[in-house]
Amino acid sequence: MSRMTVEQALYRAIAEEMARDPRVLIMGEGVATKRRDLVDAFGAARVRNTPLAEAVIAGTAVGAAASGLRPIADLLFAPFLTYAMDALVNSAGKLRALSGGQFEFPLVTMALTGSGWCVGAQHNHNLEAMFVHAPGLKVVMPSTPADFHGLMKAAIRDPDPVLFFTDIGLLYQEGEVPDDETHVVPLGRAAVRRPGRDVTLVGYAKTVGVCLAAAEALAVQGIDAEVIDLRTLKPLDTATVLDSVEKTGRLVVVTEASGLCGVAAEIAAMAAEAAFGALRAPVLRLTGPDAPPPASWVLEQATVPQPDAVVAAVRGLFGTQAAEPAEAVALA
Amino acid sequence: MSRMTVEQALYRAIAEEMARDPRVLIMGEGVATKRRDLVDAFGAARVRNTPLAEAVIAGTAVGAAASGLRPIADLLFAPFLTYAMDALVNSAGKLRALSGGQFEFPLVTMALTGSGWCVGAQHNHNLEAMFVHAPGLKVVMPSTPADFHGLMKAAIRDPDPVLFFTDIGLLYQEGEVPDDETHVVPLGRAAVRRPGRDVTLVGYAKTVGVCLAAAEALAVQGIDAEVIDLRTLKPLDTATVLDSVEKTGRLVVVTEASGLCGVAAEIAAMAAEAAFGALRAPVLRLTGPDAPPPASWVLEQATVPQPDAVVAAVRGLFGTQAAEPAEAVALA
Amino acid sequence: MSVRPAPSDWIETMLLIRAYEARMVAFQQSGGPGTCTSVGQEACAVGVVSALEARDRILSNHRSAGHLIARGADPGRMMAEVLGRADGYCGGLSGSLHIAAKDLGVVLTSTIVGGELSLAPGVALAQKMGQGEPGAITAVFFGDGAACEGIFHEALNLAVQWRLPILFVCENNQWQAFVHRLETMPERAIANWATGHGLPVETIDGNDVAAVHAAARAAVAAIRADGGPRFLELSTYRLRGHNEPDDQAYVEADELARWRLHDPIDVEARRLVEAGLVDDAELARLRARVAARIEAAAAFAEASAWPDTSMITAHVFAGKGGQP
Amino acid sequence: MSVRPAPSDWIETMLLIRAYEARMVAFQQSGGPGTCTSVGQEACAVGVVSALEARDRILSNHRSAGHLIARGADPGRMMAEVLGRADGYCGGLSGSLHIAAKDLGVVLTSTIVGGELSLAPGVALAQKMGQGEPGAITAVFFGDGAACEGIFHEALNLAVQWRLPILFVCENNQWQAFVHRLETMPERAIANWATGHGLPVETIDGNDVAAVHAAARAAVAAIRADGGPRFLELSTYRLRGHNEPDDQAYVEADELARWRLHDPIDVEARRLVEAGLVDDAELARLRARVAARIEAAAAFAEASAWPDTSMITAHVFAGKGGQP
Ligand SMILES: Cc1ncc(C[n+]2csc(CCOP(=O)(O)OP(=O)(O)O)c2C)c(N)n1
Ligand SMILES: Cc1ncc(C[n+]2csc(CCOP(=O)(O)OP(=O)(O)O)c2C)c(N)n1
Ligand SMILES: [Mg+2]
Ligand SMILES: [Mg+2]
């Protein structure tokens, strides 16, 4: 084990995969400037600065992936993906199926999002659900340095297009990462971060920490919460969530992304469909507001569900009081 | 009342609003060629053919809306919106809030989607949920000629950006439309198409007809289904859905769009949250598959939930059998 | 059929494309799916594809029949695809709008205007970085309308900056669906825009197959020599509507009539006759031969089975059964 | 302060911009938010904005301080916005990256590179169609990097086709965040690309405020005269990093040193001194005056309250409380 930040874990994974597979290359606006280490190790041909043109950066990654390379496209911040949507949604996500399976798209796109830097809604927009909804794409959004390392390696090795989102608020968070170069975390497996009997708290990225903090507070109050880190948003590990709900009978989904048609909605709907018999209380969603994340520090903080709000919501499930509307909670 | 197709109702609404408000203009790739009637009535300045460039068409609509005009941008088919995402998601949806309320964006974008023409996934992609998830946008997707007329008029008059989706399968469907030019259907109100006591069927666009057909079949079998047409997907009329579920205790959501993080997920999650006490059975989603809609007629048909699948699912809610997975049903 | 028609095959290949599309029009008129035909643009497809080799890659768009047939695609499997049948090149999932035939090197066909331009640099980058056969290049076909999309410029700039082996082929057929290109761009826009990106640009009579071939062959040789991109603007005309059916009511009659007199098949036939290489009887034999092929193809397509509904999800992801 | 600095105000306005940004750097170094400064580009902002009138509209991007101050924005409210306070131009919701001041005609600022280019044609279309004051035009500021985005070409082409009253102002500061522009485009690319679209293009020394003003004034007059767009490429240099903090380790020292010798404030000061219009004492007085204004502005900003959390949703939609 070595202690490192999420950012270090990410680039260690990329460097390991580039060393392992000569077909892997990385491109983006400034990647060759910012990662001299990769240029020195793997050469300018495999570590490329690009023009400021997300549409063709993504399209080039898609075309190259279908032609034998394994590109990683660093698109910087999630809202910039709006320029890359045709290549990702209409080409990478659809041309395998539309062609009757003739093409394969082993590519990874990287993007930052989430609160933490007060950069406002044109840099901070948790739009991962758009890509979960679109067909043919996989979506990863880890919470620990070890998972950033292991899931990035899995994403690079995966035969399908993977959107890899990094929560800005976690970028410099430290944790233990296995030294073993063969450390890979398979896509599509959630992690139970804290076992519990009474209620299931589901989160991903920075809200995993929120759920764990809430669970500690709840423990003191005699409520034993199980905390699940989704890690991969598509394919979604429904079994782990459903098993937990079957056991606890209560589910609270906590996301920084807004609620409407978000991942929280999917988890809640899935439970109401497949674990209904086990549910003993309403399924709650605590999410970011349905609003563009503002830049002001105090406002940005308020867009993230806080542990006390999770605690209050869970207590509501055990008491008689009705569930409060999710946003009000997020803003409380 | 006059009998007309959805297409006729749409353009009657546009013509009425252009006559009523000189700030309304329409632009798109070929609109001035295809709608000579509008050019003749309102002049070339207000009915504009554009270059083949969705990003600047949408951006121009957004900029013009913030500057005193009321543009309608015809973007043809929903998948082409992927080129217009920055203008719609990052500008129209965010710049009002990010600027502290300095700007207003009264614009409408039009796009076709859905099965019916066998055009494949790059023309047929029900991605409306992406815009429901994004902040600051309104989304409309009607099912009857009268609603296409009344909701288009409301959309054009609305101070916020509205994405108006037209189900290809409904375009030439006929129905009665009020002759009254003041006929406007307010955004944000669902319609109960068929009152019922036993189960709530929720759909929009072409699946409203699917639900109504299923309801007829269920009636014969002694099950009295209530059918709700959402009409507006954002703002969502949660009250009408919840009131119905409070009454029936059973909910089946039927959409052509895929399920993951779709509108069906939102409706199901909302019910599991706010109507849990009333629910007597799992909340089911019958949706299109999580796959790019194929072109082949037989395959395209199979991507749309059919009445018999809805009937089977509802019967499952009354019998003991467990709910089948949505896609299997959709493909059955 | 070879992936590279010899000069002596050009006329028959153009006739085959014309006959194929005439048959698709008939299919549509009898209730079949509407297609975007390339009637009038056959010399672009044949002239360029005949200058490529098997190792090269081709990207196309919604108007792909000519490119596919010139490359040696089986009209029967193409028709089966248009009809949504199991024997189609894409198993019926694509239909007419995104037909790809990887075995023939026709890859990643996209019907999103500009989609082919976003993907071509990646295909060429893979070639440059040692995937596929050495010296291979990528030819990307697109229209004058696609040149209005921002991605056109992003792709050209990247190809120049990264020195990618791409032959950009703009089939300027004067129309962008229902809009004449002069409503959307200045007269000389396409060549001027391309020139602004600093790569060699040529504007050629796209209805003269020999001229197109000569320009394409020279451009391909130049790309193989220095690895950098080249650009061809082929001036041609869409003799039929944007897609079937389309009464072309919006088309200026004189313009259409002028271009009809310059039909690429007539141009080539005249050249061959004047050069004494074929006579009218030979041309009649060729027409009969392609007609027979197309009838056989249509019969094959109509006899082809519908795909199984399991195909809807069979290829969404790489995993078993198309699952993630 | 006027929305249109008179020639005699140019130097003070440039000094004010420089002092404002120096203060933002200090804020960042003491733990405040990092900003994208326009140090070295002050002549672009002052030269162009001084050629505009109150009726005109301005679109800007992430590097907007110069444009705003030249237009007469209150440095105190700008700082308050950067600090996320209630008195900021956007109530603290924007922060530094998308500051708009509608009252001053600085509209729809977008930090999505190219966003301002996508929106400008619509603002100009509204002017052309009678919204706002007659004869008004739209000036859109963007960088050399934005010219690499496809939307740049879509916007120029639309402006030409629709004859929109837009002054395109490309501040070519040689850098695109951490990438030198010569890694992304040919040497003369920007002027060549713009010229390819068929509108009048001029490349000007962006560090000479008088030259920028003269070119902008002529372009604005031409736009008002014939209603069509004009394009200015202002050659300048980003003297500091992309955003704060940035050690510029990746910047070639000689290039930076060369441009430092051509600092736009020094250029203008030299011109004024040589013309006998100001002396060093006067310059010192001006520096002291702007320093005082900036300190007062900083005090105002730091004293400004944090916005209420209700503001997060207050302006999402037009309805009451920002609700749909
Ligand atoms: C992004 C996008 N916008 C619009 C369309 C609809 N459409 C299909 S073909 C076409 C015209 C394309 O013109 P051009 O590029 O000149 O090719 P041509 O059809 O003339 O061969 C249009 C507008 C589309 N398929 N994709
Ligand atoms: C679409 C998009 N891509 C990337 C970024 C990140 N980014 C912000 S400014 C910048 C450089 C822009 O360069 P240029 O247009 O020359 O403007 P400058 O910063 O030099 O003033 C980049 C890459 C962004 N904000 N938007
Ligand atoms: Mg064309
Ligand atoms: Mg720059």
Side-chain angles (χ1 to χ4, degrees):
Chain A
M1 289 284 183
S2 303
R3 198 161 179 76
M4 64 183 72
T5 65
V6 160
E7 185 179 44
Q8 290 165 331
L10 266 179
Y11 283 96
R12 195 190 110 189
I14 290 168
E16 285 170 2
E17 293 305 301
M18 291 185 77
R20 181 177 168 273
D21 184 345
R23 298 167 305 171
V24 178
L25 69 155
I26 183 165
M27 53 179 129
E29 297 155 5
V31 63
T33 313
K34 289 179 278 185
R35 306 300 316 198
R36 296 303 312 173
D37 57 330
L38 294 178
V39 179
D40 296 341
F42 306 108
R46 291 176 64 196
V47 185
R48 295 174 170 259
N49 278 346
T50 64
L52 195 31
E54 288 74 14
V56 82
I57 294 167
T60 298
V62 175
S67 308
L69 296 176
R70 292 184 159 260
I72 303 167
D74 180 1
L75 294 171
L76 305 182
F77 289 86
F80 312 161
L81 290 173
T82 54
Y83 274 163
M85 290 292 265
D86 171 55
L88 299 176
V89 172
N90 290 325
S91 295
K94 296 176 181 176
L95 288 182
R96 180 189 192 96
L98 275 185
S99 67
Q102 294 182 68
F103 308 106
E104 189 154 276
F105 299 99
L107 72 103
V108 177
T109 66
M110 298 170 68
L112 293 164
T113 186
S115 65
W117 287 356
C118 300
V119 280
Q122 289 187 334
H123 283 71
N124 165 20
H125 183 186
N126 288 67
L127 43 61
E128 55 273 6
M130 292 185 183
F131 299 97
V132 175
H133 185 61
L137 305 171
K138 293 175 177 175
V139 182
V140 176
M141 199 156 175
S143 74
T144 69
D147 279 354
F148 273 93
H149 177 260
L151 282 164
M152 175 53 81
K153 287 170 71 94
I156 294 168
R157 297 181 190 188
D158 199 81
D160 294 312
V162 179
L163 285 97
F164 196 107
F165 291 100
T166 297
D167 186 328
I168 287 170
L170 302 177
L171 197 58
Y172 303 126
Q173 204 164 93
E174 291 195 346
E176 298 295 323
V177 178
D179 298 321
D180 180 357
E181 293 209 356
T182 66
H183 170 250
V184 173
V185 176
L187 302 186
R189 303 237 189 102
V192 176
R193 296 297 181 195
R194 180 187 194 285
R197 280 176 281 90
D198 303 330
V199 59
T200 301
L201 305 180
V202 173
Y204 60 92
K206 77 160 59 72
T207 58
V208 173
V210 173
C211 291
L212 286 168
E216 294 315 312
L218 287 164
V220 176
Q221 305 172 32
I223 296 175
D224 185 20
E226 180 150 295
V227 176
I228 294 175
D229 177 355
L230 291 174
R231 305 200 290 189
T232 299
L233 304 181
K234 188 172 185 176
L236 205 49
D237 183 353
T238 55
T240 296
V241 175
L242 291 173
D243 290 350
S244 179
V245 174
E246 291 289 344
K247 178 176 62 176
T248 65
R250 293 179 175 82
L251 174 62
V252 178
V253 191
V254 187
T255 69
E256 180 173 5
S258 58
L260 283 171
C261 296
V263 171
E266 179 58 32
I267 298 291
M270 195 250 303
E273 195 159 21
F276 181 76
L279 285 174
R280 277 177 283 159
V283 178
L284 300 189
R285 290 180 284 171
L286 305 197
T287 72
D290 182 25
S296 179
W297 187 81
V298 293
L299 302 187
E300 190 187 56
Q301 286 306 301
T303 62
V304 184
Q306 300 297 321
D308 55 358
V310 178
V311 169
V314 170
R315 290 182 59 81
L317 295 184
F318 285 88
T320 53
Q321 92 203 58
E324 300 175 25
E327 287 185 24
V329 176
L331 298 179
Chain B
M1 289 285 184
S2 304
R3 195 161 182 77
M4 65 182 70
T5 65
V6 159
E7 186 179 44
Q8 290 164 331
L10 266 179
Y11 284 96
R12 195 190 109 189
I14 289 167
E16 285 171 1
E17 292 306 301
M18 290 185 78
R20 180 176 168 274
D21 184 344
R23 299 168 304 171
V24 178
L25 69 156
I26 183 165
M27 53 179 130
E29 298 156 4
V31 63
T33 313
K34 289 178 279 185
R35 306 300 315 199
R36 296 302 312 172
D37 56 330
L38 294 178
V39 179
D40 296 343
F42 306 108
R46 291 176 62 197
V47 185
R48 295 173 169 262
N49 278 345
T50 64
L52 197 30
E54 288 73 13
V56 82
I57 294 168
T60 298
V62 175
S67 308
L69 296 176
R70 292 184 158 260
I72 303 167
D74 180 1
L75 294 171
L76 304 182
F77 290 86
F80 312 161
L81 291 173
T82 54
Y83 274 163
M85 290 292 265
D86 171 56
L88 299 177
V89 172
N90 290 324
S91 295
K94 296 176 182 175
L95 288 182
R96 180 189 193 98
L98 276 186
S99 67
Q102 294 183 71
F103 307 106
E104 188 153 277
F105 299 99
L107 71 104
V108 177
T109 65
M110 298 170 69
L112 293 165
T113 185
S115 66
W117 288 355
C118 300
V119 280
Q122 289 187 336
H123 283 71
N124 165 20
H125 183 186
N126 289 66
L127 42 63
E128 55 274 5
M130 292 185 183
F131 299 97
V132 176
H133 185 60
L137 305 172
K138 293 176 177 176
V139 182
V140 176
M141 198 156 174
S143 75
T144 69
D147 279 354
F148 273 92
H149 177 262
L151 282 164
M152 175 53 80
K153 288 170 70 94
I156 293 169
R157 297 181 190 188
D158 199 82
D160 294 313
V162 179
L163 285 96
F164 196 107
F165 290 101
T166 297
D167 186 329
I168 287 169
L170 302 177
L171 197 58
Y172 303 127
Q173 204 164 93
E174 291 195 347
E176 298 296 322
V177 178
D179 297 320
D180 180 0
E181 293 209 356
T182 66
H183 170 249
V184 173
V185 177
L187 302 185
R189 303 236 189 102
V192 176
R193 296 298 182 195
R194 180 189 194 282
R197 279 176 282 89
D198 304 330
V199 60
T200 301
L201 305 181
V202 174
Y204 60 91
K206 77 160 59 71
T207 57
V208 173
V210 172
C211 292
L212 285 168
E216 293 317 312
L218 286 164
V220 176
Q221 305 172 32
I223 296 175
D224 185 21
E226 181 150 295
V227 176
I228 294 175
D229 176 355
L230 292 174
R231 306 199 291 190
T232 299
L233 304 182
K234 189 173 186 174
L236 205 49
D237 182 354
T238 55
T240 296
V241 175
L242 291 173
D243 290 350
S244 179
V245 174
E246 291 290 343
K247 178 177 62 177
T248 65
R250 293 180 174 82
L251 174 62
V252 178
V253 192
V254 187
T255 69
E256 181 173 7
S258 58
L260 284 170
C261 297
V263 170
E266 179 58 33
I267 298 291
M270 194 250 303
E273 197 158 21
F276 181 76
L279 285 173
R280 278 177 282 159
V283 178
L284 299 189
R285 289 180 284 170
L286 304 197
T287 72
D290 182 26
S296 179
W297 187 82
V298 291
L299 302 187
E300 190 188 58
Q301 287 306 303
T303 61
V304 184
Q306 299 299 320
D308 56 355
V310 178
V311 169
V314 170
R315 289 181 61 81
L317 295 184
F318 285 87
T320 53
Q321 91 203 59
E324 301 175 22
E327 286 185 25
V329 176
L331 297 179
Chain C
M1 193 179 192
S2 132
V3 298
R4 189 178 185 187
S8 56
D9 296 332
W10 293 346
I11 185 77
E12 181 168 3
T13 308
M14 291 197 287
L15 288 167
L16 185 64
I17 296 166
R18 183 72 56 96
Y20 170 88
E21 296 194 306
R23 190 67 183 81
M24 298 322 299
V25 170
F27 266 127
Q28 189 281 321
Q29 285 166 355
S30 58
T35 56
C36 297
T37 71
S38 63
V39 174
Q41 303 173 223
E42 296 87 351
C44 302
V46 174
V48 171
V49 173
S50 60
L52 301 173
E53 296 177 9
R55 59 180 161 164
D56 300 322
R57 293 289 167 264
I58 295 170
L59 283 88
S60 181
N61 59 10
H62 55 285
R63 211 173 292 284
S64 61
H67 313 139
L68 285 157
I69 289 176
R71 187 68 168 183
D74 170 2
R77 290 192 63 196
M78 289 170 61
M79 284 186 195
E81 188 56 49
V82 174
L83 298 187
R85 306 305 178 87
D87 293 314
Y89 274 103
C90 306
L93 274 84
S94 161
S96 71
L97 289 170
H98 356 63
I99 303 180
K102 191 180 179 190
D103 298 346
L104 297 170
V106 180
V107 300
L108 301 176
T109 308
S110 172
T111 188
I112 300 294
V113 169
E116 68 286 59
L117 286 160
S118 77
L119 300 166
V123 176
L125 178 64
Q127 291 170 322
K128 181 188 176 92
M129 291 180 70
Q131 300 295 322
E133 293 171 55
I137 75 151
T138 296
V140 56
F141 288 94
F142 57 95
D144 47 292
C148 294
E149 298 278 7
I151 190 67
F152 166 85
H153 297 276
E154 293 187 14
L156 262 65
N157 186 45
L158 192 72
V160 169
Q161 288 307 300
W162 286 8
R163 191 174 264 280
L164 299 175
I166 303 179
L167 177 61
F168 291 96
V169 183
C170 182
E171 290 184 60
N172 177 359
N173 66 1
Q174 315 305 322
W175 284 97
Q176 303 168 7
F178 309 105
V179 181
H180 193 285
R181 79 171 181 95
L182 292 182
E183 256 190 277
T184 74
M185 58 172 63
E187 168 71 40
R188 304 268 310 112
I190 295 168
N192 288 343
W193 291 343
T195 303
H197 287 286
L199 75 171
V201 176
E202 262 197 291
T203 299
I204 306 291
D205 175 354
N207 286 17
D208 177 340
V209 66
V212 172
H213 176 82
R217 200 180 45 213
V220 170
I223 296 169
R224 293 203 212 277
D226 68 15
R230 299 296 189 277
F231 191 102
L232 295 181
E233 178 190 11
L234 306 181
S235 304
T236 182
Y237 200 81
R238 194 191 74 197
L239 289 178
R240 290 191 60 87
H242 167 52
N243 57 354
E244 300 300 321
D246 174 348
D247 62 12
Q248 296 179 280
Y250 54 89
V251 175
E252 202 231 294
D254 295 0
E255 185 180 72
L256 182 56
R258 267 199 318 282
W259 281 93
R260 281 226 175 90
L261 294 177
H262 194 53
D263 183 311
I265 292 181
D266 299 343
V267 169
E268 175 65 357
R270 232 179 281 119
R271 189 180 69 84
L272 293 171
V273 171
E274 281 162 13
L277 295 169
V278 304
D279 57 18
D280 293 356
E282 170 66 4
L283 285 173
R285 267 192 301 278
L286 293 179
R287 287 180 199 282
R289 194 155 72 193
V290 303
R293 273 196 73 189
I294 291 303
E295 275 327 301
F300 169 83
E302 290 187 296
S304 176
W306 292 104
D308 185 85
T309 54
S310 65
M311 288 299 107
I312 294 170
T313 49
H315 298 297
V316 176
F317 289 104
K320 202 162 146 306
Q323 293 315 298
Chain D
M1 191 179 193
S2 134
V3 299
R4 190 178 184 187
S8 55
D9 297 332
W10 291 348
I11 186 79
E12 182 169 3
T13 307
M14 291 196 288
L15 288 168
L16 185 63
I17 296 166
R18 184 72 57 98
Y20 171 88
E21 296 194 306
R23 190 67 184 78
M24 298 322 300
V25 170
F27 266 126
Q28 190 280 321
Q29 284 166 356
S30 57
T35 56
C36 296
T37 70
S38 62
V39 174
Q41 302 174 224
E42 295 86 351
C44 302
V46 174
V48 171
V49 173
S50 61
L52 302 173
E53 296 177 10
R55 60 180 161 164
D56 300 323
R57 293 291 167 263
I58 294 171
L59 284 89
S60 181
N61 59 10
H62 55 285
R63 211 172 293 283
S64 60
H67 312 139
L68 284 158
I69 290 176
R71 187 69 168 181
D74 170 4
R77 292 191 62 195
M78 288 170 61
M79 285 188 195
E81 187 58 48
V82 174
L83 298 187
R85 306 305 176 89
D87 293 314
Y89 274 103
C90 307
L93 276 83
S94 162
S96 71
L97 290 170
H98 356 63
I99 303 180
K102 191 180 179 188
D103 297 346
L104 297 169
V106 180
V107 300
L108 302 176
T109 308
S110 172
T111 187
I112 300 295
V113 170
E116 70 285 62
L117 286 161
S118 77
L119 299 166
V123 176
L125 177 63
Q127 291 170 322
K128 181 190 176 88
M129 291 179 71
Q131 300 295 323
E133 292 171 56
I137 74 151
T138 296
V140 55
F141 288 95
F142 57 96
D144 48 291
C148 294
E149 297 278 6
I151 190 66
F152 166 84
H153 297 275
E154 293 188 13
L156 262 65
N157 186 45
L158 192 71
V160 169
Q161 288 307 299
W162 285 8
R163 191 174 263 282
L164 298 175
I166 304 180
L167 177 61
F168 291 95
V169 182
C170 181
E171 290 183 60
N172 177 358
N173 66 2
Q174 315 303 321
W175 283 97
Q176 303 168 9
F178 308 105
V179 182
H180 194 284
R181 79 171 182 94
L182 293 182
E183 253 190 278
T184 74
M185 57 172 63
E187 168 72 41
R188 304 268 310 110
I190 295 167
N192 288 342
W193 291 343
T195 303
H197 288 285
L199 75 172
V201 176
E202 262 197 291
T203 300
I204 307 289
D205 176 354
N207 288 17
D208 178 340
V209 66
V212 173
H213 176 83
R217 200 181 43 213
V220 169
I223 296 169
R224 293 202 211 278
D226 68 14
R230 299 294 189 279
F231 191 102
L232 295 181
E233 179 190 10
L234 306 180
S235 303
T236 182
Y237 198 81
R238 195 192 73 198
L239 289 178
R240 290 190 62 85
H242 167 52
N243 56 355
E244 300 301 321
D246 175 347
D247 62 12
Q248 296 179 277
Y250 54 89
V251 175
E252 203 232 293
D254 295 359
E255 185 180 71
L256 183 56
R258 266 200 319 281
W259 281 94
R260 280 227 175 88
L261 295 177
H262 194 52
D263 184 310
I265 291 179
D266 300 343
V267 169
E268 175 65 357
R270 231 177 284 119
R271 189 179 68 83
L272 293 171
V273 170
E274 281 162 14
L277 295 169
V278 305
D279 58 17
D280 292 356
E282 170 64 6
L283 284 173
R285 267 192 301 279
L286 293 180
R287 288 182 199 281
R289 196 156 69 192
V290 303
R293 273 196 73 188
I294 292 302
E295 276 325 302
F300 169 83
E302 292 188 294
S304 176
W306 292 103
D308 185 86
T309 55
S310 65
M311 288 298 108
I312 294 170
T313 49
H315 298 297
V316 176
F317 289 104
K320 204 160 144 309
Q323 293 315 297

